[in-house]
Amino acid sequence: MKTSLWTLVMEALFTLNLQAFLWMFVGTVLGVFGGFLPGVNATMVLVILLPLTYSMPLESALGMLLAAYGAAIFGGSGSAILLNTPGTGGSAATALDGFALTKKGKGNQALGIASMSSFLGGFISVVILLLLMRPLARFALRFGPPEYFAVSIFGVSIIASVTDNDTIKGIMAGVLGLLLGTVGMSLTGQLRGTMGNLFLTGGINTVPAMMGLFALTSAFNLINEKSVMNEGVQHKRNFKEELEGCLITLKHLPLVIWTAIIGTVIGILPGAGASIACWAAYKESFRFTKNPPKLGTGHYQGVIAPESANNAAQGGALITTFALGIPGSGASAVLLSALLLHGVTAGPQLLVQGIDLIIQPIVLLVISFFVCLVIGLIFEYVVSGVVNIPTKIIAPVIIALGMTGSYAFRGAIFDCFTALVFGILGYIMSKTGYSRVAMVLGLILGKMTEQELVRTSIRFGGDFSVFFTRPISCVILVVSILSILYSLVMKLRTSKN
Amino acid sequence: MKTNQFKKAASYCNIGLIIFTLALLGAAMAYFIEVSGLPQAESNLLFIKPCYYVVMLCSILIIAKEIRKFWAALKNKTTKADDPAEEIDDAVTVSKKTDTIKQFLDEHKEIVLIVFSFLYLGILKTLGYVFSTFFFLSAVLYLIGAFNKKLVIIVSALTVLILYVAFGVCLRVSLPKGILGF
């Protein structure tokens, strides 16, 4: 007899033991701390915690890992808002308006907004996960190369929205990013643009590249300024303002829900994840404002949207991980390893015969969101004082932190050089009006876009009408094209006014 | 006089932007040529070719916009061309050169930061993470920050300690160990 989902959730809640709760707490704390550190992502935190799970029961093991998984994205917003140094790829969009709010003296509110948005986004995605795991998994199975290419083009269409000042320069930066994303080994086995360097065989590592374009460029700009803050503005740690930020998020509930749905759907697609979800959501933030302010000038929606989406993407990724057994990211792969270690195989059978095995860890994940919110607010209150440190101290420290974060990713000094080169490139771009955001987007999307285009060409014999004859890819492509046209028309109207 | 007009007109367009755009275009072109020479070029260029053409078109538009500004300024001969205050005194220029370099570096501390960053990465493998980071921070804080030696040492040591504990101990990242073993 099939037990109802509600019954399973209630059973899991009432059979929670102290050990499972404590390990969940450990995972949450480490995840928040790790996520805050630039260059350290959920995968790294999970890899460190995995050996600890060998002797644990499955529920405790999975509960701890899931808590760390969600908390790492949660923690990444802190350094993005305070230092313009995204702790994880999913926090890159948050840095734009988050850091702008810090400079205006509203850093406390921005931290509160990010914490509450992350909490709500993650919570909504888990509800979707529990209710719609089976149908969403079936939906994900219908995605082939044309659909993945259409999703990439949807991501590329975001470039048109983020090029605020000069569209031509923005498009050029974005397309250069796409080209940079194709560096490395092609689908047909050729090495392109590697200059004989083995480290480039897998392509340009996006973590050090983002570290350079955001953190290091920020340090090079900050060194000539007196303070991180705007002139005449001071930052004082204020927990009350953080709580105000939480309330501000609650006033934007429709945006939170909508971007959480976007994040969950994008998170379902293997390889897409929080890095794309945050930008797709950032673009949506403008739809919810009557008079959309300029990009990156410090509007609350610019923090709410990406933070809600990047945490929701984690929930979406869990659907593919548990329901299909497909790891969409390194972190998902570690989760699958944990399941295998305890003799459980993920996939459709798990949903039919073993769903009770994963319900309790998912319940623990939801509880960890509450823990994250409290710990996150306290942790960020403590570290937010860093913005008052003189820029002549902060700038070299950011560089040391950025280099360490770049190195930590795979233990290669080459990645530190990558970060430095992108830092210099980003600095020149910031002085000449090119959009670094567009380049980052292009870099993230380049590989996926090219690979899916080539796969479509091979599979369908060069017939590209398949993009419009398959319903899912057709809808996504049409939406993307309309989105680009809409952005360009709005820009033309703004420039005429 | 004509040289002055030329210089005035040139100040209306962003030479740095033109040079940077040409550099980006050159890099894209080099990548495109490299990929074109690979086997199975058709498959390799399926995505890269249209991207390259977009980059080329955007570069032309950006450079054309700057050149248009230059010509417009050059045609407008009555603006500042005969201003005696703008004439340059060569004798004064030579003696001010040393001050200008110091002033330039003072106003562009990022150049010092970039140079030291490269040096930092150069010594990282040899001296190890702890010493390299300490020396990098100390050098930059002392030269750019102009803080006293005590503060420089305290801040550098504290930063290295926090980073080492966070990454090396808590997250068990294997940080570079130099000839001294840590």
Side-chain angles (χ1 to χ4, degrees), chain A residues 226-480:
Chain A
K226 285 184 185 157
S227 159
V228 170
M229 317 294 293
N230 290 340
E231 210 169 309
V233 179
Q234 253 197 322
H235 173 84
K236 282 182 186 159
R237 282 188 291 181
N238 192 324
F239 198 75
K240 199 178 162 191
E241 283 179 5
E242 280 191 30
L243 294 174
E244 272 172 26
C246 294
L247 287 172
I248 290 169
T249 310
L250 292 171
K251 287 179 189 169
H252 292 86
L253 220 43
L255 174 63
V256 172
I257 294 169
W258 176 232
T259 48
I261 293 170
I262 290 174
T264 308
V265 171
I266 292 177
I268 289 171
L269 308 172
S275 302
I276 295 177
C278 70
W279 290 109
Y282 186 71
K283 185 183 162 191
E284 289 301 305
S285 69
F286 290 101
R287 274 198 231 287
F288 283 74
T289 51
K290 278 184 184 165
N291 300 305
K294 234 178 152 190
L295 195 80
T297 52
H299 70 293
Y300 299 133
Q301 293 90 334
V303 176
I304 293 170
E307 280 303 306
S308 168
N310 66 22
N311 269 79
Q314 308 289 66
L318 288 178
I319 293 171
T320 329
T321 307
F322 289 142
L324 300 175
I326 301 171
S329 62
S332 313
V334 176
L335 288 171
L336 282 177
S337 312
L339 280 171
L340 279 168
L341 275 168
H342 289 81
V344 176
T345 311
Q349 282 299 99
L350 181 65
L351 297 188
V352 174
Q353 289 168 358
I355 196 165
D356 51 311
L357 290 171
I358 55 170
I359 289 293
Q360 193 172 80
I362 291 173
V363 167
L364 279 167
L365 174 62
V366 173
I367 297 171
S368 83
F369 287 142
F370 287 93
V371 176
C372 252
L373 181 61
V374 174
I375 291 175
L377 286 170
I378 296 169
F379 178 72
E380 283 163 357
Y381 169 78
V382 169
V383 299
S384 70
V386 73
V387 297
N388 290 324
I389 298 172
T391 53
K392 291 187 181 77
I393 295 179
I394 275 202
V397 169
I398 288 175
I399 291 179
L401 184 62
M403 295 295 194
T404 313
S406 301
Y407 180 85
F409 194 71
R410 55 176 176 173
I413 294 178
F414 179 79
D415 287 336
C416 301
F417 276 108
T418 305
L420 187 53
V421 166
F422 273 94
I424 296 166
L425 178 68
Y427 179 71
I428 302 173
M429 286 172 76
S430 68
K431 295 297 176 195
T432 49
Y434 280 97
S435 169
R436 289 172 287 144
V437 169
M439 179 167 271
V440 164
L441 267 169
L443 192 59
I444 293 168
L445 293 167
K447 196 169 199 165
M448 181 173 157
T449 313
E450 198 219 3
Q451 282 183 349
E452 298 310 330
L453 182 65
V454 172
R455 282 198 182 110
T456 306
S457 171
I458 293 169
R459 191 168 153 185
F460 295 94
D463 177 21
F464 293 116
S465 65
V466 70
F467 289 124
F468 295 99
T469 53
R470 289 165 70 103
I472 298 173
S473 68
C474 181
V475 165
I476 298 172
L477 276 175
V478 166
V479 166
S480 306

